[in-house]
Amino acid sequence: MTLQPASSVGEILAYLRSLRNEANIAGMARFGIDTTTALGITTPQMQALARQVNRDHRRALALWQTGLRDARMLAILTADPRALTMEEARAWAGDFNSWEIVDTAADLFTQTPFWRALVTKFADDEREYVLRTAFAMIAGATVHNKDEPDESLLAYLPLIEKHATDPRNFVRKAVNWALRNIGKRNATCHGPALALAEKLAASDDKTARWIGKDAVRELKSEKILARLKA
């Protein structure tokens, strides 16, 4: 069976279930992915499926409602960022239960015209995966949103500092990710990001210290310094 652009939700679900892979499910679990509803479909498989069915926002919303991990991943990959509303994005975020879902959705969310408002909303939310989304979006925007002014990204440094003491694994890693990506963007962003990283590295807080030291290590690496000088 091959999926088509006009494939229905039912047809897609049947096809996804036909691809169930127990070994992949076990592998996902080892990487900290919630596999409660997973079918074990790999990222390359999912990307190929997304190309087959194309974007269909209404269908993507229906796929999300199934609650299946793999259907939700396909929903994210086939949703239309031009049609996605803030209410839909926030509703999806409320369902997030795994870092891979967060990071995939963050790429979609940063393509919307209201992504900055979403970052603000998500950063005010104490739920671990919603809060991670805010920093995953910042990390993604520094790379993918080429026209985003450096100043608007540097403006997130105080937010990064504010949440640098959150010890929850998926938050601290995303905060670190956002800080490193800002610092690696270009020479303009490097200095302020490195300054914050060094400040956090000297913190009395264990989490902030880890975030800072890890960021300093990368931002001072020969590879990064050479690229910024090029």
Side-chain angles (χ1 to χ4, degrees), residues 20-73:
R20 184 181 181 93
N21 187 308
E22 296 297 337
N24 288 348
I25 293 173
M28 289 174 177
R30 288 194 293 272
F31 280 96
I33 295 171
D34 187 325
T35 59
T36 306
T37 65
L39 298 172
I41 300 173
T42 66
T43 298
Q45 284 178 304
M46 196 65 68
Q47 292 170 338
L49 293 175
R51 289 192 293 269
Q52 288 176 32
V53 300
N54 293 338
R55 290 194 187 276
D56 184 322
H57 194 67
R58 183 174 297 182
R59 186 181 59 200
L61 295 176
L63 285 170
W64 186 268
Q65 289 301 318
T66 67
L68 292 173
R69 173 264 175 195
D70 304 79
R72 285 184 164 180
M73 289 293 284

Short mmCIF file of all heavy atoms in Angstrom, two decimals, residues 20-73:
data_model
loop_
_atom_site.label_atom_id
_atom_site.label_comp_id
_atom_site.label_asym_id
_atom_site.label_seq_id
_atom_site.Cartn_x
_atom_site.Cartn_y
_atom_site.Cartn_z
N ARG A 20 4.33 -1.15 12.21
CA ARG A 20 4.74 -1.31 13.61
C ARG A 20 6.01 -2.15 13.70
O ARG A 20 6.16 -3.19 13.06
CB ARG A 20 3.62 -1.98 14.41
CG ARG A 20 3.93 -2.11 15.90
CD ARG A 20 2.80 -2.79 16.66
NE ARG A 20 3.12 -2.87 18.06
CZ ARG A 20 2.77 -1.97 18.97
NH1 ARG A 20 2.06 -0.92 18.60
NH2 ARG A 20 3.12 -2.10 20.24
N ASN A 21 6.96 -1.65 14.53
CA ASN A 21 8.26 -2.30 14.66
C ASN A 21 8.64 -2.34 16.14
O ASN A 21 8.99 -1.32 16.73
CB ASN A 21 9.31 -1.54 13.85
CG ASN A 21 10.65 -2.24 13.80
OD1 ASN A 21 11.21 -2.61 14.82
ND2 ASN A 21 11.17 -2.42 12.60
N GLU A 22 8.57 -3.53 16.72
CA GLU A 22 8.81 -3.67 18.16
C GLU A 22 10.26 -3.31 18.53
O GLU A 22 10.51 -2.73 19.59
CB GLU A 22 8.50 -5.10 18.60
CG GLU A 22 7.04 -5.50 18.44
CD GLU A 22 6.09 -4.67 19.30
OE1 GLU A 22 6.55 -4.11 20.32
OE2 GLU A 22 4.90 -4.56 18.95
N ALA A 23 11.20 -3.65 17.67
CA ALA A 23 12.59 -3.34 17.96
C ALA A 23 12.81 -1.83 18.01
O ALA A 23 13.54 -1.31 18.87
CB ALA A 23 13.51 -3.97 16.92
N ASN A 24 12.17 -1.12 17.09
CA ASN A 24 12.29 0.34 17.08
C ASN A 24 11.64 0.95 18.30
O ASN A 24 12.14 1.94 18.85
CB ASN A 24 11.67 0.92 15.81
CG ASN A 24 12.50 0.65 14.57
OD1 ASN A 24 13.64 0.24 14.65
ND2 ASN A 24 11.89 0.87 13.41
N ILE A 25 10.53 0.40 18.72
CA ILE A 25 9.85 0.90 19.91
C ILE A 25 10.77 0.78 21.12
O ILE A 25 10.92 1.71 21.92
CB ILE A 25 8.53 0.13 20.15
CG1 ILE A 25 7.53 0.44 19.04
CG2 ILE A 25 7.93 0.51 21.51
CD1 ILE A 25 6.26 -0.39 19.09
N ALA A 26 11.43 -0.36 21.24
CA ALA A 26 12.36 -0.57 22.36
C ALA A 26 13.52 0.41 22.28
O ALA A 26 13.97 0.95 23.30
CB ALA A 26 12.88 -2.01 22.34
N GLY A 27 14.00 0.67 21.06
CA GLY A 27 15.08 1.61 20.88
C GLY A 27 14.68 3.03 21.26
O GLY A 27 15.46 3.77 21.88
N MET A 28 13.47 3.42 20.91
CA MET A 28 12.98 4.75 21.26
C MET A 28 12.92 4.92 22.78
O MET A 28 13.29 5.96 23.32
CB MET A 28 11.59 4.97 20.66
CG MET A 28 11.58 5.14 19.16
SD MET A 28 9.88 5.23 18.51
CE MET A 28 10.21 5.51 16.77
N ALA A 29 12.47 3.89 23.45
CA ALA A 29 12.35 3.94 24.91
C ALA A 29 13.72 4.17 25.55
O ALA A 29 13.84 4.91 26.54
CB ALA A 29 11.73 2.65 25.43
N ARG A 30 14.75 3.60 24.96
CA ARG A 30 16.10 3.77 25.52
C ARG A 30 16.59 5.21 25.37
O ARG A 30 17.49 5.64 26.10
CB ARG A 30 17.08 2.81 24.84
CG ARG A 30 16.89 1.36 25.25
CD ARG A 30 18.07 0.49 24.83
NE ARG A 30 18.17 0.36 23.38
CZ ARG A 30 17.54 -0.59 22.67
NH1 ARG A 30 16.77 -1.48 23.30
NH2 ARG A 30 17.69 -0.66 21.36
N PHE A 31 16.00 5.94 24.44
CA PHE A 31 16.37 7.34 24.25
C PHE A 31 15.43 8.29 24.99
O PHE A 31 15.41 9.49 24.71
CB PHE A 31 16.40 7.68 22.76
CG PHE A 31 17.65 7.24 22.06
CD1 PHE A 31 17.69 6.03 21.38
CD2 PHE A 31 18.80 8.01 22.10
CE1 PHE A 31 18.84 5.61 20.74
CE2 PHE A 31 19.97 7.60 21.46
CZ PHE A 31 19.99 6.39 20.78
N GLY A 32 14.66 7.76 25.90
CA GLY A 32 13.79 8.61 26.71
C GLY A 32 12.54 9.08 26.03
O GLY A 32 11.92 10.07 26.46
N ILE A 33 12.12 8.40 24.96
CA ILE A 33 10.91 8.75 24.24
C ILE A 33 9.73 7.98 24.83
O ILE A 33 9.85 6.78 25.10
CB ILE A 33 11.05 8.43 22.74
CG1 ILE A 33 12.15 9.32 22.12
CG2 ILE A 33 9.73 8.61 21.99
CD1 ILE A 33 12.53 8.93 20.71
N ASP A 34 8.62 8.66 25.05
CA ASP A 34 7.42 7.99 25.56
C ASP A 34 6.86 7.10 24.45
O ASP A 34 6.44 7.58 23.40
CB ASP A 34 6.38 9.03 25.97
CG ASP A 34 5.17 8.41 26.67
OD1 ASP A 34 4.78 7.28 26.30
OD2 ASP A 34 4.62 9.06 27.58
N THR A 35 6.87 5.80 24.71
CA THR A 35 6.44 4.85 23.67
C THR A 35 5.08 4.22 23.97
O THR A 35 4.72 3.22 23.37
CB THR A 35 7.48 3.72 23.51
OG1 THR A 35 7.64 3.05 24.78
CG2 THR A 35 8.82 4.27 23.07
N THR A 36 4.33 4.83 24.88
CA THR A 36 3.03 4.28 25.28
C THR A 36 2.13 4.00 24.08
O THR A 36 1.47 2.96 24.01
CB THR A 36 2.32 5.24 26.24
OG1 THR A 36 3.18 5.53 27.35
CG2 THR A 36 1.03 4.61 26.76
N THR A 37 2.11 4.92 23.13
CA THR A 37 1.26 4.75 21.94
C THR A 37 2.09 4.66 20.66
O THR A 37 1.57 4.86 19.56
CB THR A 37 0.26 5.92 21.82
OG1 THR A 37 1.00 7.13 21.57
CG2 THR A 37 -0.58 6.08 23.07
N ALA A 38 3.38 4.38 20.79
CA ALA A 38 4.27 4.39 19.63
C ALA A 38 4.15 3.12 18.80
O ALA A 38 3.90 2.04 19.31
CB ALA A 38 5.72 4.57 20.09
N LEU A 39 4.38 3.30 17.50
CA LEU A 39 4.40 2.18 16.56
C LEU A 39 5.82 1.88 16.08
O LEU A 39 6.04 0.91 15.37
CB LEU A 39 3.50 2.50 15.35
CG LEU A 39 2.02 2.72 15.67
CD1 LEU A 39 1.29 3.21 14.43
CD2 LEU A 39 1.38 1.44 16.20
N GLY A 40 6.76 2.72 16.45
CA GLY A 40 8.15 2.46 16.10
C GLY A 40 8.56 2.89 14.71
O GLY A 40 9.52 2.36 14.15
N ILE A 41 7.85 3.85 14.14
CA ILE A 41 8.19 4.32 12.80
C ILE A 41 9.35 5.31 12.90
O ILE A 41 9.31 6.24 13.70
CB ILE A 41 6.97 4.96 12.12
CG1 ILE A 41 5.85 3.92 12.01
CG2 ILE A 41 7.33 5.51 10.75
CD1 ILE A 41 4.54 4.47 11.50
N THR A 42 10.38 5.11 12.10
CA THR A 42 11.58 5.93 12.20
C THR A 42 11.38 7.30 11.58
O THR A 42 10.44 7.53 10.80
CB THR A 42 12.76 5.23 11.49
OG1 THR A 42 12.48 5.17 10.08
CG2 THR A 42 12.98 3.82 12.03
N THR A 43 12.30 8.21 11.89
CA THR A 43 12.22 9.56 11.34
C THR A 43 12.31 9.56 9.81
O THR A 43 11.49 10.24 9.15
CB THR A 43 13.33 10.44 11.94
OG1 THR A 43 13.12 10.55 13.36
CG2 THR A 43 13.31 11.84 11.33
N PRO A 44 13.25 8.84 9.19
CA PRO A 44 13.27 8.81 7.72
C PRO A 44 11.97 8.26 7.13
O PRO A 44 11.49 8.78 6.11
CB PRO A 44 14.45 7.87 7.40
CG PRO A 44 15.35 8.01 8.58
CD PRO A 44 14.42 8.12 9.76
N GLN A 45 11.40 7.24 7.74
CA GLN A 45 10.12 6.70 7.27
C GLN A 45 9.03 7.76 7.37
O GLN A 45 8.23 7.94 6.45
CB GLN A 45 9.71 5.48 8.10
CG GLN A 45 10.44 4.20 7.80
CD GLN A 45 9.99 3.06 8.70
OE1 GLN A 45 10.03 3.17 9.92
NE2 GLN A 45 9.51 1.98 8.10
N MET A 46 9.02 8.47 8.50
CA MET A 46 7.99 9.48 8.72
C MET A 46 8.12 10.62 7.73
O MET A 46 7.12 11.13 7.20
CB MET A 46 8.11 10.00 10.16
CG MET A 46 6.90 10.75 10.63
SD MET A 46 5.41 9.72 10.75
CE MET A 46 5.85 8.65 12.12
N GLN A 47 9.34 11.02 7.45
CA GLN A 47 9.56 12.10 6.48
C GLN A 47 9.13 11.68 5.08
O GLN A 47 8.56 12.48 4.33
CB GLN A 47 11.03 12.51 6.49
CG GLN A 47 11.45 13.19 7.79
CD GLN A 47 12.96 13.40 7.90
OE1 GLN A 47 13.73 12.70 7.25
NE2 GLN A 47 13.37 14.35 8.72
N ALA A 48 9.37 10.42 4.74
CA ALA A 48 8.94 9.91 3.44
C ALA A 48 7.42 9.89 3.35
O ALA A 48 6.84 10.24 2.32
CB ALA A 48 9.50 8.52 3.20
N LEU A 49 6.77 9.48 4.42
CA LEU A 49 5.30 9.46 4.45
C LEU A 49 4.74 10.87 4.32
O LEU A 49 3.73 11.09 3.63
CB LEU A 49 4.81 8.82 5.75
CG LEU A 49 5.10 7.33 5.93
CD1 LEU A 49 4.66 6.87 7.31
CD2 LEU A 49 4.38 6.52 4.85
N ALA A 50 5.38 11.82 4.98
CA ALA A 50 4.91 13.21 4.91
C ALA A 50 4.98 13.72 3.47
O ALA A 50 4.08 14.45 3.02
CB ALA A 50 5.75 14.09 5.83
N ARG A 51 6.01 13.33 2.74
CA ARG A 51 6.12 13.75 1.34
C ARG A 51 5.03 13.10 0.48
O ARG A 51 4.54 13.70 -0.47
CB ARG A 51 7.51 13.40 0.80
CG ARG A 51 8.63 14.25 1.36
CD ARG A 51 9.92 14.06 0.59
NE ARG A 51 10.46 12.72 0.75
CZ ARG A 51 11.33 12.37 1.71
NH1 ARG A 51 11.72 13.26 2.60
NH2 ARG A 51 11.80 11.13 1.77
N GLN A 52 4.65 11.89 0.83
CA GLN A 52 3.62 11.19 0.06
C GLN A 52 2.25 11.82 0.24
O GLN A 52 1.50 11.98 -0.73
CB GLN A 52 3.55 9.72 0.49
CG GLN A 52 4.73 8.87 0.04
CD GLN A 52 4.65 7.45 0.58
OE1 GLN A 52 3.56 6.91 0.76
NE2 GLN A 52 5.80 6.85 0.83
N VAL A 53 1.91 12.19 1.45
CA VAL A 53 0.54 12.68 1.70
C VAL A 53 0.43 14.20 1.57
O VAL A 53 -0.69 14.74 1.51
CB VAL A 53 0.03 12.23 3.07
CG1 VAL A 53 0.02 10.72 3.17
CG2 VAL A 53 0.87 12.81 4.21
N ASN A 54 1.58 14.90 1.56
CA ASN A 54 1.59 16.36 1.44
C ASN A 54 0.91 17.04 2.63
O ASN A 54 0.37 16.40 3.51
CB ASN A 54 0.93 16.80 0.13
CG ASN A 54 1.73 16.37 -1.08
OD1 ASN A 54 2.93 16.13 -1.00
ND2 ASN A 54 1.05 16.28 -2.23
N ARG A 55 0.93 18.36 2.60
CA ARG A 55 0.30 19.13 3.68
C ARG A 55 -1.21 19.11 3.54
O ARG A 55 -1.76 19.27 2.45
CB ARG A 55 0.78 20.58 3.67
CG ARG A 55 2.24 20.76 4.08
CD ARG A 55 2.54 22.22 4.37
NE ARG A 55 3.95 22.44 4.61
CZ ARG A 55 4.56 22.26 5.78
NH1 ARG A 55 3.87 21.84 6.82
NH2 ARG A 55 5.85 22.50 5.91
N ASP A 56 -1.87 18.92 4.65
CA ASP A 56 -3.33 19.01 4.72
C ASP A 56 -3.65 19.35 6.17
O ASP A 56 -3.62 18.49 7.04
CB ASP A 56 -3.98 17.68 4.32
CG ASP A 56 -5.50 17.76 4.28
OD1 ASP A 56 -6.08 18.45 5.14
OD2 ASP A 56 -6.10 17.12 3.40
N HIS A 57 -3.91 20.62 6.42
CA HIS A 57 -4.01 21.08 7.80
C HIS A 57 -5.18 20.45 8.55
O HIS A 57 -5.04 20.03 9.70
CB HIS A 57 -4.12 22.60 7.85
CG HIS A 57 -3.90 23.15 9.23
ND1 HIS A 57 -2.69 23.09 9.87
CD2 HIS A 57 -4.77 23.73 10.11
CE1 HIS A 57 -2.79 23.63 11.07
NE2 HIS A 57 -4.04 24.02 11.24
N ARG A 58 -6.32 20.37 7.90
CA ARG A 58 -7.49 19.79 8.56
C ARG A 58 -7.23 18.33 8.93
O ARG A 58 -7.57 17.87 10.02
CB ARG A 58 -8.73 19.90 7.67
CG ARG A 58 -10.00 19.37 8.32
CD ARG A 58 -11.21 19.64 7.45
NE ARG A 58 -11.43 21.07 7.26
CZ ARG A 58 -12.44 21.58 6.57
NH1 ARG A 58 -13.31 20.77 5.97
NH2 ARG A 58 -12.58 22.88 6.45
N ARG A 59 -6.62 17.60 8.01
CA ARG A 59 -6.29 16.19 8.29
C ARG A 59 -5.25 16.08 9.41
O ARG A 59 -5.31 15.19 10.25
CB ARG A 59 -5.79 15.52 7.02
CG ARG A 59 -5.55 14.01 7.16
CD ARG A 59 -5.03 13.42 5.87
NE ARG A 59 -3.78 14.05 5.48
CZ ARG A 59 -3.29 14.04 4.24
NH1 ARG A 59 -3.92 13.42 3.27
NH2 ARG A 59 -2.14 14.64 3.97
N ALA A 60 -4.30 17.01 9.42
CA ALA A 60 -3.29 17.01 10.47
C ALA A 60 -3.93 17.17 11.85
O ALA A 60 -3.54 16.49 12.81
CB ALA A 60 -2.27 18.12 10.22
N LEU A 61 -4.91 18.05 11.94
CA LEU A 61 -5.60 18.24 13.22
C LEU A 61 -6.31 16.95 13.64
O LEU A 61 -6.32 16.59 14.83
CB LEU A 61 -6.61 19.38 13.11
CG LEU A 61 -6.02 20.78 12.87
CD1 LEU A 61 -7.14 21.79 12.69
CD2 LEU A 61 -5.11 21.19 14.00
N ALA A 62 -6.87 16.25 12.68
CA ALA A 62 -7.56 14.99 12.98
C ALA A 62 -6.56 13.91 13.38
O ALA A 62 -6.82 13.11 14.29
CB ALA A 62 -8.37 14.54 11.77
N LEU A 63 -5.42 13.88 12.73
CA LEU A 63 -4.38 12.91 13.10
C LEU A 63 -3.91 13.15 14.52
O LEU A 63 -3.66 12.21 15.28
CB LEU A 63 -3.20 13.01 12.12
CG LEU A 63 -3.40 12.40 10.74
CD1 LEU A 63 -2.24 12.79 9.82
CD2 LEU A 63 -3.51 10.88 10.82
N TRP A 64 -3.79 14.41 14.88
CA TRP A 64 -3.35 14.73 16.25
C TRP A 64 -4.35 14.19 17.27
O TRP A 64 -3.96 13.65 18.31
CB TRP A 64 -3.19 16.24 16.42
CG TRP A 64 -2.60 16.57 17.77
CD1 TRP A 64 -3.28 16.85 18.92
CD2 TRP A 64 -1.22 16.61 18.10
NE1 TRP A 64 -2.41 17.07 19.95
CE2 TRP A 64 -1.13 16.92 19.47
CE3 TRP A 64 -0.04 16.42 17.37
CZ2 TRP A 64 0.09 17.05 20.13
CZ3 TRP A 64 1.16 16.54 18.03
CH2 TRP A 64 1.23 16.85 19.40
N GLN A 65 -5.60 14.30 16.97
CA GLN A 65 -6.64 13.90 17.91
C GLN A 65 -6.65 12.39 18.17
O GLN A 65 -7.23 11.93 19.15
CB GLN A 65 -8.02 14.33 17.42
CG GLN A 65 -8.24 15.85 17.48
CD GLN A 65 -8.10 16.39 18.89
OE1 GLN A 65 -8.57 15.80 19.85
NE2 GLN A 65 -7.44 17.53 19.01
N THR A 66 -5.98 11.61 17.33
CA THR A 66 -5.94 10.16 17.56
C THR A 66 -5.14 9.80 18.80
O THR A 66 -5.34 8.73 19.39
CB THR A 66 -5.32 9.42 16.36
OG1 THR A 66 -3.92 9.77 16.25
CG2 THR A 66 -6.05 9.77 15.07
N GLY A 67 -4.21 10.66 19.18
CA GLY A 67 -3.40 10.40 20.36
C GLY A 67 -2.23 9.47 20.13
O GLY A 67 -1.40 9.28 21.02
N LEU A 68 -2.11 8.90 18.94
CA LEU A 68 -1.01 7.99 18.64
C LEU A 68 0.27 8.78 18.38
O LEU A 68 0.26 9.77 17.64
CB LEU A 68 -1.33 7.14 17.41
CG LEU A 68 -2.46 6.11 17.55
CD1 LEU A 68 -2.75 5.49 16.19
CD2 LEU A 68 -2.06 5.04 18.56
N ARG A 69 1.37 8.32 18.94
CA ARG A 69 2.64 9.01 18.78
C ARG A 69 2.98 9.23 17.32
O ARG A 69 3.34 10.34 16.89
CB ARG A 69 3.75 8.23 19.49
CG ARG A 69 5.16 8.78 19.25
CD ARG A 69 5.87 8.03 18.14
NE ARG A 69 7.17 8.62 17.81
CZ ARG A 69 7.85 8.36 16.71
NH1 ARG A 69 7.36 7.52 15.80
NH2 ARG A 69 9.01 8.92 16.49
N ASP A 70 2.88 8.18 16.50
CA ASP A 70 3.31 8.28 15.11
C ASP A 70 2.35 9.12 14.28
O ASP A 70 2.76 9.85 13.38
CB ASP A 70 3.45 6.87 14.53
CG ASP A 70 4.41 6.03 15.36
OD1 ASP A 70 3.99 5.53 16.42
OD2 ASP A 70 5.58 5.91 14.98
N ALA A 71 1.06 9.05 14.59
CA ALA A 71 0.09 9.89 13.90
C ALA A 71 0.34 11.35 14.25
O ALA A 71 0.20 12.24 13.39
CB ALA A 71 -1.33 9.48 14.28
N ARG A 72 0.71 11.60 15.49
CA ARG A 72 0.99 12.98 15.89
C ARG A 72 2.26 13.52 15.23
O ARG A 72 2.32 14.70 14.87
CB ARG A 72 1.07 13.07 17.42
CG ARG A 72 -0.31 12.99 18.05
CD ARG A 72 -0.29 13.18 19.55
NE ARG A 72 -1.65 13.47 20.02
CZ ARG A 72 -1.99 13.69 21.29
NH1 ARG A 72 -1.04 13.64 22.22
NH2 ARG A 72 -3.23 13.95 21.61
N MET A 73 3.25 12.67 15.08
CA MET A 73 4.45 13.12 14.37
C MET A 73 4.12 13.47 12.92
O MET A 73 4.58 14.49 12.39
CB MET A 73 5.52 12.02 14.41
CG MET A 73 6.14 11.81 15.77
SD MET A 73 7.13 13.23 16.33
CE MET A 73 8.61 13.00 15.33
#
